Amino acid sequence: MKAARRLIIDTDPGQDDAVALLAALASPEELDILAITSVAGNVPLELTTKNCLALVELARRPEVPVYRGSIRPMVKKLVTAEYVHGPTGLDGSGLDDPELQAADGHAVDRMIDILMGAGDGEITVCTLGPLTNVGMAIAREPRVVPKIGELVMMGGGFFEGGNTTPAAEFNMFVDPHAAHIVFSSGVPIVMMPLDVTHKAFTDADRLRQFADLGTRAGASVAGMLDFYDRYDMEKFGAQGAPLHDPTVIAYLLAQELFSGKHVHVAIETSSPLTEGMTVVDWWGVTGMEPNALVMREIDADGFFDLLVERIGRL
Ligand code: BDR
Ligand code: CA
């Protein structure tokens, strides 16, 4: 059997982050989660940290440490998304306040320690929120870069445009300066943009499959996604909502569900009109070296089957 991937998950739960975390926590044979690091994003940091702890508890994995991370983006003021996720970030989940406490130390320090203690390419970093913590870690200790074998992120969009401004996806819009540091660092990136996640919508049948698991985790996922859907249903006139962040964990478990292209991606940091835009050189017109595997296609049925099966293990 292949050794489990050694992993840091950086996240801002958020209902879609929650499903991603639960799927990862349900997969210890493949994923050795060294740390979950919280970041401000969908809701402020105290809530994203609390939500991480509640999810670790729900998955009955109290040994997985949660570290509190950056309270605000590197340069900009924090922008949050309660209009999507509700005031708690996990509205609809039915989860109580967790008893677990965050581990001592700052997420950026812990990230640097884990990476510096590892061999080259040994650690996978997953980002499900703004890139503030990873950008800070690279800025403070550039020697972490070769330690990261793969950085798998949900963020950006190109053919689909943005979801927060016409040009920018939420995670990139919140901290474009951190995103710029990450994309220009040399870290091998796998990017799950809106072009992929807008092909993976929930619907009533898919929600029912979670509810039908008959478990606490299944009921919580069905409840939170039911709440999360309402904003995008109105926006897209669809039966559900794109399930963004779990694509990252699905890639780690079943890469064959996705296809894309190695291309160069740059981040706009200065234009007020397009800040946070991921400028993807899909047709190779710049001659710049590819810095990311940008995904464009997903097997949506396979993706939801995988999630139901993994959440069913909890
Ligand atoms: C991203 O923004 C957040 O609202 C979601 O959790 C996801 O990470 C989608 O644009
Ligand atoms: Ca997120």
Side-chain angles (χ1 to χ4, degrees), residues 38 40 88 155 160 200 284 305:
S38 64
T88 69
E160 282 287 296
D305 287 350

PDB file of all heavy atoms in Angstrom, residues 38 40 88 155 160 200 284 305:
ATOM      1  N   SER A  38      -6.161  27.627  10.221  1.00  0.00           N
ATOM      2  CA  SER A  38      -7.320  28.470   9.903  1.00  0.00           C
ATOM      3  C   SER A  38      -6.857  29.816   9.354  1.00  0.00           C
ATOM      4  O   SER A  38      -5.744  30.274   9.633  1.00  0.00           O
ATOM      5  CB  SER A  38      -8.177  28.682  11.158  1.00  0.00           C
ATOM      6  OG  SER A  38      -7.436  29.406  12.129  1.00  0.00           O
ATOM      7  N   ALA A  40      -8.622  33.823   8.030  1.00  0.00           N
ATOM      8  CA  ALA A  40      -9.812  34.658   7.886  1.00  0.00           C
ATOM      9  C   ALA A  40     -10.233  34.670   6.429  1.00  0.00           C
ATOM     10  O   ALA A  40      -9.395  34.764   5.532  1.00  0.00           O
ATOM     11  CB  ALA A  40      -9.506  36.086   8.350  1.00  0.00           C
ATOM     12  N   THR A  88     -22.427  32.490  11.036  1.00  0.00           N
ATOM     13  CA  THR A  88     -21.460  31.602  11.717  1.00  0.00           C
ATOM     14  C   THR A  88     -20.452  31.008  10.738  1.00  0.00           C
ATOM     15  O   THR A  88     -19.436  30.464  11.146  1.00  0.00           O
ATOM     16  CB  THR A  88     -22.159  30.412  12.401  1.00  0.00           C
ATOM     17  OG1 THR A  88     -22.678  29.529  11.374  1.00  0.00           O
ATOM     18  CG2 THR A  88     -23.297  30.858  13.305  1.00  0.00           C
ATOM     19  N   GLY A 155      -9.275  28.034  -6.101  1.00  0.00           N
ATOM     20  CA  GLY A 155      -9.182  29.467  -6.286  1.00  0.00           C
ATOM     21  C   GLY A 155      -9.112  29.838  -7.746  1.00  0.00           C
ATOM     22  O   GLY A 155      -8.747  29.028  -8.584  1.00  0.00           O
ATOM     23  N   GLU A 160     -14.758  31.096 -16.755  1.00  0.00           N
ATOM     24  CA  GLU A 160     -15.992  31.431 -16.030  1.00  0.00           C
ATOM     25  C   GLU A 160     -16.005  32.849 -15.470  1.00  0.00           C
ATOM     26  O   GLU A 160     -17.009  33.270 -14.910  1.00  0.00           O
ATOM     27  CB  GLU A 160     -16.177  30.474 -14.847  1.00  0.00           C
ATOM     28  CG  GLU A 160     -16.709  29.109 -15.198  1.00  0.00           C
ATOM     29  CD  GLU A 160     -18.186  29.169 -15.563  1.00  0.00           C
ATOM     30  OE1 GLU A 160     -19.020  29.506 -14.707  1.00  0.00           O
ATOM     31  OE2 GLU A 160     -18.487  28.854 -16.723  1.00  0.00           O
ATOM     32  N   ALA A 200     -19.808  21.296 -10.917  1.00  0.00           N
ATOM     33  CA  ALA A 200     -20.087  20.343  -9.829  1.00  0.00           C
ATOM     34  C   ALA A 200     -21.126  20.944  -8.890  1.00  0.00           C
ATOM     35  O   ALA A 200     -20.815  21.324  -7.757  1.00  0.00           O
ATOM     36  CB  ALA A 200     -18.795  20.012  -9.085  1.00  0.00           C
ATOM     37  N   GLY A 284      -0.814  29.749 -24.168  1.00  0.00           N
ATOM     38  CA  GLY A 284       0.647  29.852 -24.232  1.00  0.00           C
ATOM     39  C   GLY A 284       1.141  31.031 -25.044  1.00  0.00           C
ATOM     40  O   GLY A 284       2.161  30.934 -25.725  1.00  0.00           O
ATOM     41  N   ASP A 305     -20.144  10.886  -5.847  1.00  0.00           N
ATOM     42  CA  ASP A 305     -20.110   9.505  -5.320  1.00  0.00           C
ATOM     43  C   ASP A 305     -18.975   9.355  -4.312  1.00  0.00           C
ATOM     44  O   ASP A 305     -19.141   8.749  -3.241  1.00  0.00           O
ATOM     45  CB  ASP A 305     -19.902   8.499  -6.458  1.00  0.00           C
ATOM     46  CG  ASP A 305     -21.148   8.346  -7.326  1.00  0.00           C
ATOM     47  OD1 ASP A 305     -22.212   8.868  -6.922  1.00  0.00           O
ATOM     48  OD2 ASP A 305     -21.042   7.731  -8.404  1.00  0.00           O
TER      49      ASP A 305
END
